[in-house]
Structures are given as C-alpha cells and as structure tokens.
Amino acid sequence: MKNLEGKNILIGVTGGIAAYKVVEVASRLKKLGANVKVVMTRAATEFVSPRTFQEITKNAVYVEMFGDAANFNVAHISLANFADLVLIAPATANFLAKAANGIADDLLTTTILAATAPKIFAPSMNTNMLENPATQENLKILQERGIKILDAAEGELACGISGKGRLPEPEKICEEIVKFFETEKILSGKKILVTAGGTLEPIDPVRYIGNRSSGKMGFEIAKSAKNLGAEVILIAGNVQLAPPKNLKFVKVESAEEMREKVLAEYDSVDAVIMSAAVADYRVKNISPQKIKKSEENLTLELVKNPDILKELGSLKKNQILIGFAAETENLLEYARKKLDEKNLDFIVANNVTVEGAGFGVDTNVASIIKRNGEVKNFPLMSKSDLAEKILSELIKIFGE
C-alpha cells in the first residue's frame, strides 16, 4: 500500500524562484498515492505554468478568486474542505506576513483562512529577508498557532549569495508529510500531563524568588501532544505565553501550588512530562507587608520545597514519567543520577550555558537518556522539533 493512499493534500504555491521545485513535490506525493490539488498565486504563475501542475496532479489548478460563475462553487471553501493537509511551498516573506495577520486578498490566502486542516509551511527567500525581525516574528506567530514550519536549507541562493533561505529538497518535504500522516493522532486515547515555566516563591507581597524559565519548551510539548491526538493538561508557572487552544490549562505560582495541582491529576494520566523549572527552596517566613530598605544586608531563611518529580516517581503505578535536567556542568552525570533517584522512564538533559540552549530562546540542544543507558544526542534545533523527538520516545514506550 502506498504511504499516502487516500490522503487529500492541498499545495499552495507562492511567487518565489523555488516554485519550480514544487513540481517535483507534487509528483512525489502523487506517486505515493495522494490526491493532490494546487492553488497558485498570480506571482507563482510567472515561475511555473499552471498547466504543469495540472498535468502532474491530474486535477484542475486554481489561481483566480472568482471562477466560472456558470459552475457555482465557492472555491476557497471547497478547497479548504478538501484538504487533509495543507502545504505551502515556497512560503515567501509576503505570504507569511499575510498568513500571520489574517489577510485574505487572493484565493490562496482566503483558502488558508478557511482551512481547518493541519498546515506545513516551507519558507524560501533571501537570507536577509528570512532573518528580518518582521519575518521571524511572523514565523513565531504561525508556530504558536500550531503550524509546522520547516527549516529553510542553507546553500547558494538565486540572488547570488550563500546562506539560509533555500527551499528544502522535495524529498525532505515529502518525508515530513509522510511522517505527519504516520504519526497523525497516534496518541489518541492517551492523557498526558505537562508542566512548564518556573515557579515563584514570595518574599513579601512585592518580591519573590524565581528563575529564568520561559515555559517555551513545555508549551511546545503540550501543543505537539495535542496535535498527536492526546488529551493534554498543561500546568504552567510564571510564563508570558498565550495558553494553547483545546487543552486544559492550569496556572500556578509556587512550587507547593504546582505540587497540589499535579498530584490532583496524577492518578488519571498515562504520562507526565515535567519540564517546569520548580524552585528548590522557598522563604520560610513570608512577610505580610513589603520589606522596607533599612539595613545594608537582608538575610532570608530558606527551606526546601517538596521534590514533585521524586514524589511522582515514588507514587508511580502505570504512568510514564519524564523529567528534565537543566545543568551548567557534568550534564550526563547529573542527569543519570536524577533519572535513577526519581524513578524516571527517561530524562531530557541540556546544558543551559550552550549557545542556543539557554532560557527564553526558541531553540535547544539536548540529550535524551533512557533507563537502559542509551543516550540520544540532538543538535541545535527548534523547541518545536525537540518536542517531537521527546514525544517520539514516549510513543515508543507506549508501544512496548
């Protein structure tokens, strides 16, 4: 059986030089058994003829917003309803800006706005355009809405410079699509608890002890688990991120509050992914009023917070328990110790001093350490991609 037999894939082609590569993408998808339809912007037709896609897909190609009135069919709605998956390749800077801001001024952008199917965007443009803060902000917005963004490839660009901005090779794009359908809703029927962000331990009504965790890693894990069909509970500490849609979101502040909320859900879940940076200590005597500046030194007595992850490990029945180790030295040694002491199924370890792997960034460099001693090292990648790697390991355990 072909990998994509019976799948309906809508390809949106925008006006970039890489449009010619998408002809091969359409051809490969067709050979894999997919039913492919293509929507092109007017600018895209300056690079590739609609007839070329028509011959490859054996379907009509759509360009104009208003077609033949004699054959009434609201094109953008019928195309949106057709798709099991929407691929935009190449996704130009102009298209990304429109999609991020909900602009619908042609057939493709209108169709995207109407489509509820999962979406994969493959950006392709000049390096400076890709790295422009406006484009990066638009990509961030789209990712937060659950759209899969493929990393642009590096190499010689049509403009004559060498850098990041090339459309991924057709084979790579098709691999991503096959992978999407292979893992689609694979976590259906599973209930997963994810924790994210740092906790805050109050000193007085104004001040607190905290840490630098942004919660981005946990949010990406929660979104990916939801996209794979799981019922997700996301318990978050101090974060400045919009809650993902279609999951249970619980906001907490202190470590004790997080412990209470996690334990309340623990017996009902199949897996817990503890990516939160829970404070190890709290102030013993919290001042009911703001502490006034009066002495050169201020001494605070700290007491140890409950170890939520260790407690979960001791209470574990059939749950899969995954922890995180954010370290600055002796990464694997400390992570293995935590894995054993807290009865984890595996641990995700990262050195926060490594460039691109610290707090508040959208990327990470991590290793996954399993109970059998196996270590998987991952290079610098987006936190969204790392979330997929983590969930892939979780899926393997569910399958054992």
Side-chain angles (χ1 to χ4, degrees):
M1 180 179 175
K2 294 180 179 180
N3 294 34
L4 300 178
E5 195 76 52
K7 300 299 183 183
N8 295 326
I9 299 176
L10 181 66
I11 302 178
V13 185
T14 67
I17 186 64
Y20 77 92
K21 285 187 177 181
V22 188
V23 176
E24 184 179 346
V25 174
S27 178
R28 284 175 176 266
L29 294 176
K30 189 72 178 174
K31 289 174 182 175
L32 288 169
N35 183 20
V36 179
K37 291 186 179 181
V38 175
V39 180
M40 303 179 71
T41 64
R42 290 181 184 176
T45 64
E46 297 292 327
F47 297 95
V48 180
S49 165
R51 183 173 294 278
T52 303
F53 283 110
Q54 183 174 310
E55 293 298 323
I56 292 292
T57 64
K58 309 304 179 189
N59 280 319
V61 175
Y62 302 83
V63 179
E64 298 298 335
M65 183 71 187
F66 303 102
D68 184 1
N71 181 21
F72 180 74
N73 190 6
V74 182
H76 63 284
I77 301 301
S78 63
L79 288 167
N81 291 339
F82 158 82
D84 294 317
L85 176 72
V86 179
L87 167 69
I88 305 296
T92 60
N94 181 59
F95 171 81
L96 294 172
K98 289 181 179 181
N101 290 281
I103 295 172
D105 62 353
D106 61 10
L107 179 57
L108 179 57
T109 51
T110 306
T111 301
I112 290 298
L113 210 56
T116 57
K119 301 172 184 70
I120 297 176
F121 290 1
S124 176
M125 65 198 74
N126 167 270
T127 303
N128 292 341
M129 295 174 71
L130 179 62
E131 294 177 351
N132 187 286
T135 303
Q136 290 299 309
E137 182 66 21
N138 290 332
L139 288 168
K140 180 180 177 182
I141 290 169
L142 294 166
Q143 281 185 312
E144 288 175 350
R145 293 176 187 164
I147 294 171
K148 172 73 174 177
I149 306 293
L150 300 186
D151 281 338
E154 292 193 31
E156 191 75 23
L157 303 178
C159 57
I161 70 169
S162 183
K164 194 170 184 178
R166 287 174 60 88
L167 186 74
E169 292 305 313
E171 181 180 9
K172 170 67 175 174
I173 294 174
C174 292
E175 283 176 359
E176 290 288 341
I177 291 172
V178 169
K179 184 172 73 172
F180 166 79
F181 283 112
E182 285 178 346
T183 59
E184 183 185 21
K185 308 305 179 188
I186 199 169
L187 290 178
S188 180
K190 299 296 184 183
K191 190 174 182 180
I192 298 176
L193 169 63
V194 181
T195 66
T199 60
L200 303 182
E201 307 302 326
I203 297 171
D204 60 24
V206 176
R207 304 175 183 90
Y208 60 82
I209 298 171
N211 58 59
R212 300 177 189 273
S213 176
S214 66
K216 289 182 177 182
M217 190 71 249
F219 272 56
E220 291 299 335
I221 293 169
K223 287 188 286 187
S224 293
K226 183 64 184 176
N227 290 339
L228 292 172
E231 179 184 351
V232 178
I233 305 162
L234 176 58
I235 300 177
N238 179 39
V239 296
Q240 305 300 319
L241 303 170
K245 295 180 180 179
N246 303 318
L247 52 73
K248 182 176 179 179
F249 181 72
V250 180
K251 193 79 165 60
V252 299
E253 185 170 283
S254 67
E256 290 186 315
E257 189 180 356
M258 179 169 283
R259 174 184 177 271
E260 177 190 341
K261 299 299 183 183
V262 168
L263 289 176
E265 302 284 357
Y266 192 42
D267 286 341
S268 70
V269 302
D270 299 292
V272 176
I273 304 175
M274 284 284 295
S275 72
V278 182
D280 294 323
Y281 296 89
R282 68 182 185 276
V283 177
K284 183 177 182 179
N285 298 307
I286 301 170
S287 173
Q289 304 297 331
K290 180 182 176 183
I291 300 171
K292 296 298 182 181
K293 182 168 59 177
S294 58
E295 303 291 339
E296 285 296 321
N297 299 312
L298 173 67
T299 301
L300 298 173
E301 184 178 356
L302 303 180
V303 294
K304 200 169 186 179
N305 268 325
D307 189 328
I308 302 171
L309 193 55
K310 189 172 184 177
E311 186 173 2
L312 296 180
S314 67
L315 296 172
K316 187 165 69 167
K317 297 174 183 176
N318 298 316
Q319 298 97 333
I320 296 168
L321 189 56
I322 300 165
F324 276 68
E327 304 290 349
T328 58
E329 60 180 350
N330 303 325
L331 179 65
L332 296 183
E333 177 188 344
Y334 291 156
R336 284 194 180 99
K337 184 179 179 182
K338 189 173 183 179
L339 174 73
D340 294 333
E341 288 181 348
K342 304 192 180 184
N343 193 24
L344 308 181
D345 290 276
F346 68 84
I347 191 165
V348 183
N350 69 307
N351 187 330
V352 295
T353 65
V354 173
E355 186 176 356
F359 296 114
V361 295
D362 296 322
T363 56
N364 212 336
V365 180
S367 298
I368 288 178
I369 306 167
K370 302 183 181 180
R371 290 198 66 83
N372 63 6
E374 181 185 355
V375 178
K376 289 191 173 182
N377 297 312
F378 299 104
L380 181 69
M381 62 177 64
S382 68
K383 287 181 175 176
S384 174
D385 285 343
L386 181 58
E388 292 181 2
K389 301 290 186 186
I390 294 167
L391 290 172
S392 177
E393 295 302 322
L394 173 61
I395 289 164
K396 288 178 185 177
I397 298 175
F398 278 135
E400 292 174 356

